[in-house]
Amino acid sequence: MRVMLLGATGLVGGLTLPGLLDDPRCSAVIAPTRRPLALTHGKLENPVLAFDALPASPEWARVDAVICALGSTIAQAGSRAAFHRIDHDYPLAFARLAQAQGAKTYVLNSAAGANPQSSIFYSRVKGELERDLRALGFASLTLVRPGLIGGERTEVRRGERFALAVLGALGPALPRAWRINPAVEIARALTGAALAPQSGEHVVTSSALVG
């Protein structure tokens, strides 16, 4: 299978990439980024482009499945408008591009609490993306909804780091749905859903990502 991976430079995407490259079911990984990846591999194609101006029908977009691990925070993006563009508009634009080139499967790293009607902006944007992807009618759509993600990020997220410390200390005493979701488990779920797609819509909850 040819798989497009969005967000290859992030925590989850960075763990998903080597798993795809090592998997014999995957013949090629197409990882569009805004800056070149440091990694080179015989199965890796890295189109470098402006996400605001995607080409109409590039050859590299002919894939069987898309994994989207693209995402930000409002603080990192700089504004609500920029966050919406990164976490909604870009994933949806790539979905349309790949679907027009024949992709049948889309796997999204979303978030627990995703709901287009949510009063929480972050959850509402995630829910809007899920809704709009659903409307495209992919043969297989998997929504992976982690809670707090555990792993080493390159950027500092102080609030998230504090929450990870608290939840990590409480550990098994918490219900599964409240526990930390290791990034490697999320990457594994994304890869499995893309390389062994099931027809219809599927949701992977945070309790299934505890490890």
Side-chain angles (χ1 to χ4, degrees), residues 35-123:
R35 291 178 294 278
L37 294 173
L39 176 68
T40 58
H41 190 283
K43 288 165 61 172
L44 176 63
E45 185 174 346
N46 178 212
V48 178
L49 65 157
F51 287 9
D52 288 312
L54 298 181
S57 54
E59 181 69 25
W60 53 258
R62 294 185 179 178
V63 295
D64 302 291
V66 178
I67 295 176
C68 180
L70 187 65
S72 185
T73 64
I74 296 174
Q76 190 178 27
S79 68
R80 286 192 170 198
F83 173 81
H84 191 278
R85 184 167 62 251
I86 295 168
D87 279 60
H88 175 275
D89 297 352
Y90 292 162
L92 190 61
F94 276 106
R96 289 172 173 151
L97 179 66
Q99 188 179 52
Q101 296 285 75
K104 303 297 183 185
T105 298
Y106 198 100
V107 184
L108 173 68
N109 185 35
S110 184
N115 185 337
Q117 306 302 321
S118 177
S119 60
I120 301 171
F121 181 73
Y122 178 88
S123 299

Side-chain angles (χ1 to χ4, degrees), residues 128-211:
E128 289 173 353
L129 175 57
E130 290 188 359
R131 177 200 64 200
D132 295 343
L133 288 172
R134 191 176 293 118
L136 294 181
F138 280 95
S140 177
L141 174 64
T142 300
L143 308 172
V144 179
R145 294 175 178 164
L148 194 60
I149 301 173
E152 290 297 322
R153 297 186 184 275
T154 54
E155 80 276 13
V156 176
R157 298 182 181 181
R158 292 184 176 83
E160 184 178 86
R161 183 171 292 177
F162 174 76
L164 284 168
V166 172
L167 293 183
L170 293 174
L174 293 171
R176 287 183 65 85
W178 295 2
R179 297 182 198 173
I180 294 170
N181 294 156
V184 66
E185 294 296 333
I186 301 168
R188 187 174 292 118
L190 295 170
T191 301
L195 296 181
Q198 302 294 314
S199 297
E201 180 179 325
H202 306 273
V203 175
V204 180
T205 64
S206 59
S207 60
L209 298 166
V210 173

